[in-house]
Amino acid sequence: MTQYKRAANTVVFHVVVCAIGFVMIYPLIWMFFSSFKESSLVLSTVDELFPREWRFDNYAKGWSGFGGTTFTTFFKNSLIVTIISVVGNVIASAMAAYGFSRIRFKGRGFFFICMMITMMVPSQVLVVPQYIIFNGLGWVNTFLPLTVPEWGGRAFFIFLIMQFIAGIPKELDEAAEIDGCGKIRLFTQIMLPLIKPALATSAIFSFYWKWDDFMGSLLYLNTPENYTVSIALKLFSDPTSVSDYGAMFAMCVLSLLPVIILFLLTQRYIVEGISMSGLKS
C-alpha cells in the first residue's frame, strides 16, 4: 500500500509541476504563435493560440527594421555591448573577490561593507548623476556608458565568487607561495582554473542582464545605428500610428534565441556554480 501511495504522490507532484511550468511558459508559446499572425489580428485574437493564417513574412518584415537600419545592426550592437560588458564584469569581479578573500590589507572590512551596501542602492537613484557625468565626458550616444562601468565589477558577482573561493583551502596558496609563486601568478594560474564554475555563473547572469537592458540603452543611445535590440523592439510599438505587432513579436522571438541557447548550453554551470559557491546552508 505504501508503494502505491508513493507512486500516486509522485504522479501528482509531476502533474502539478508540469501544470505550473506550462502556465509560466505559456506567454512565450503565445508570443511564438503570434509572430505568425496578421498584425491586425494579434490583439483581437488574444484568446486564440494558433494563427488563422500563417504569415511567415512577418520575420522578413521585422528583420528589415526601420529608418534604413536592419536588425542585423541592432543584434550586432547588442552583442558588442553584451560581450564587452560580460568580459569586463567577470574579470573585475574575480580580481576583487580574490583580493577580499585572500589578501589582507588595511581597510579591507570597511571597503567590503561599502561594496555590499551598493547592492542595496536602487539603480534609479544613480540614473541622474551617472547621466550628468557621462554627458560631461561626451560619452552620450556611444557604447561607453553601457560598457565601461561594467569593468568595475558587480557586488553580487564579487560576493558569489568570494563564497566559492572560501571553499578552497588556504594551504594551496601557502604551498604555491613556498614554490615562489607571486600573487598575480597564483591568481591567474591556480585560482582562476579552480573557480571556473563561479566565473561561468557570473558570465551567464551578466549576459542575461545586459542583453535585456532597456533603460541604459534608452538613456544613452540616440541614433538608430547605435540602437540595441531592446530599443529596436520598443520602436515597433507606436501609439500614435499603426503598430506592426506581427513583425514585433517575430523579432521578440529571435531576440530570445541567444538567451535560450545560452541557457541550454550552460545550465549545468549555473547549478554547479551556485551549489558550490557556499550560498547554500
Side-chain angles (χ1 to χ4, degrees):
M1 189 67 178
T2 303
Q3 183 178 359
Y4 290 113
K5 184 177 180 181
R6 186 182 298 111
N9 291 338
T10 302
V11 171
V12 171
F13 172 79
H14 283 87
V15 169
V16 172
V17 170
C18 290
I20 295 175
F22 178 76
V23 170
M24 295 178 65
I25 202 173
Y26 181 79
L28 296 179
I29 299 175
W30 181 87
M31 182 180 69
F32 173 75
F33 286 109
S34 295
S35 68
F36 296 101
K37 292 182 179 180
E38 174 68 33
S39 180
S40 60
L41 298 178
V42 171
L43 298 184
S44 61
T45 59
V46 176
D47 56 336
E48 299 179 13
L49 181 61
F50 299 101
R52 299 174 182 176
E53 179 184 356
W54 292 79
R55 298 295 302 270
F56 294 95
D57 60 331
N58 285 338
Y59 284 83
K61 289 192 298 183
W63 194 264
S64 63
F66 47 82
T69 306
T70 67
F71 257 79
T72 302
T73 300
F74 303 141
F75 271 89
K76 181 190 69 174
N77 293 339
S78 289
L79 285 174
I80 291 174
V81 170
T82 302
I83 291 174
I84 293 176
S85 299
V86 168
V87 171
N89 220 328
V90 173
I91 292 175
S93 298
M95 293 175 64
Y98 176 73
F100 281 123
S101 299
R102 288 295 202 258
I103 301 176
R104 296 289 179 259
F105 55 91
K106 188 175 182 180
R108 172 176 172 271
F110 171 77
F111 289 116
F112 178 76
I113 292 174
C114 291
M115 180 201 71
M116 297 302 295
I117 290 176
T118 61
M119 297 177 63
M120 309 175 194
V121 178
S123 59
Q124 293 81 1
V125 176
L126 305 176
V127 168
V128 174
Q130 284 182 341
Y131 185 87
I132 293 174
I133 293 173
F134 294 140
N135 186 53
L137 293 172
W139 287 5
V140 174
N141 201 31
T142 69
F143 296 152
L144 294 176
L146 305 177
T147 56
V148 172
E150 300 296 335
W151 283 77
R154 281 180 179 255
F156 174 77
F157 298 142
I158 294 173
F159 183 71
L160 178 71
I161 299 173
M162 283 182 62
Q163 296 300 101
F164 197 97
I165 293 176
I168 299 175
K170 293 184 178 180
E171 289 77 11
L172 186 65
D173 297 28
E174 296 172 356
E177 290 176 353
I178 292 174
D179 291 337
C181 193
K183 296 293 183 183
I184 297 178
R185 186 180 175 188
L186 194 154
F187 171 70
T188 56
Q189 296 186 10
I190 297 178
M191 194 60 63
L192 285 182
L194 294 176
I195 61 175
K196 279 183 179 179
L199 297 179
T201 303
S202 301
I204 294 165
F205 280 111
S206 180
F207 183 93
Y208 290 163
W209 295 343
K210 183 55 67 172
W211 182 265
D212 294 336
D213 180 40
F214 174 77
M215 185 58 66
S217 301
L218 180 65
L219 285 173
Y220 298 113
L221 303 179
N222 303 328
T223 54
E225 59 268 18
N226 287 334
Y227 285 163
T228 57
V229 171
S230 58
I231 297 296
L233 291 175
K234 172 63 178 66
L235 294 179
F236 268 110
S237 178
D238 187 357
T240 62
S241 62
V242 179
S243 300
D244 194 343
Y245 290 108
M248 180 181 70
F249 284 127
M251 293 303 99
C252 286
V253 171
L254 294 182
S255 70
L256 285 177
L257 287 181
V259 176
I260 295 174
I261 293 173
L262 181 67
F263 175 77
L264 293 177
L265 293 177
T266 60
Q267 57 179 323
R268 68 184 185 91
Y269 293 108
I270 299 177
V271 175
E272 184 180 359
I274 293 178
S275 63
M276 296 179 63
S277 62
L279 295 179
K280 61 182 181 178
S281 57

